[in-house]
Amino acid sequence: MKRYSFIIFLLILLLPVSSYGTVDYLSVNHVTKEYYWGNEDNETGWIGWETVPEGQLDTAEEEFEELGYTRALNPFKIESILILAIGVSVFGIYFFERK
């Protein structure tokens, strides 16, 4: 029995395993003049971001830097500002109506 379990263990190890990789893509935001290298796990925000076509990935980063674009550290900058503004507005309305 021990021999069969070892053989079954080896067969399981030799089974083809599908590999999971991340797909890198370049997104650019013309509103904030930023570009962002993302992958399937790290997406960008929704407002103003567009994906650069795959054929232009080799030269796109240099072209954007020449045009004054910077690399984005926070791709959710516009969304964060909107949420903060809405939160402050709701808090302000609640605070002033309470008085």
Side-chain angles (χ1 to χ4, degrees), residues 89-99:
S89 299
V90 168
F91 179 74
I93 290 170
Y94 175 76
F95 182 74
F96 287 118
E97 283 189 5
R98 195 163 183 234
K99 281 187 166 187

Side-chain angles (χ1 to χ4, degrees), residues 59-80:
T59 59
E61 188 172 3
E62 293 86 17
E63 291 174 5
F64 288 131
E65 287 179 352
E66 288 175 3
L67 293 172
Y69 285 68
T70 58
R71 187 175 193 133
L73 299 176
N74 180 11
F76 296 99
K77 188 180 295 182
I78 296 175
E79 288 84 356
S80 300

Side-chain angles (χ1 to χ4, degrees), residues 47-62:
I47 301 174
W49 288 98
E50 64 183 49
T51 305
V52 176
E54 204 170 310
Q56 299 174 353
L57 290 180
D58 296 334
T59 59
E61 188 172 3
E62 293 86 17

Side-chain angles (χ1 to χ4, degrees), residues 1-93:
M1 188 69 179
K2 189 174 183 180
R3 176 187 237 182
Y4 290 123
S5 62
F6 181 70
I7 291 172
I8 292 172
F9 178 71
L10 285 177
L11 287 175
I12 291 173
L13 286 178
L14 295 175
L15 287 175
V17 177
S18 60
S19 62
Y20 297 100
T22 57
V23 177
D24 290 333
Y25 62 90
L26 180 65
S27 294
V28 62
N29 191 330
H30 298 294
V31 176
T32 60
K33 296 196 88 149
E34 294 178 323
Y35 64 92
Y36 180 74
W37 280 102
N39 56 34
E40 293 173 340
D41 298 332
N42 302 324
E43 297 179 2
T44 58
W46 302 297
I47 301 174
W49 288 98
E50 64 183 49
T51 305
V52 176
E54 204 170 310
Q56 299 174 353
L57 290 180
D58 296 334
T59 59
E61 188 172 3
E62 293 86 17
E63 291 174 5
F64 288 131
E65 287 179 352
E66 288 175 3
L67 293 172
Y69 285 68
T70 58
R71 187 175 193 133
L73 299 176
N74 180 11
F76 296 99
K77 188 180 295 182
I78 296 175
E79 288 84 356
S80 300
I81 292 171
L82 285 175
I83 289 172
L84 182 65
I86 291 170
V88 167
S89 299
V90 168
F91 179 74
I93 290 170

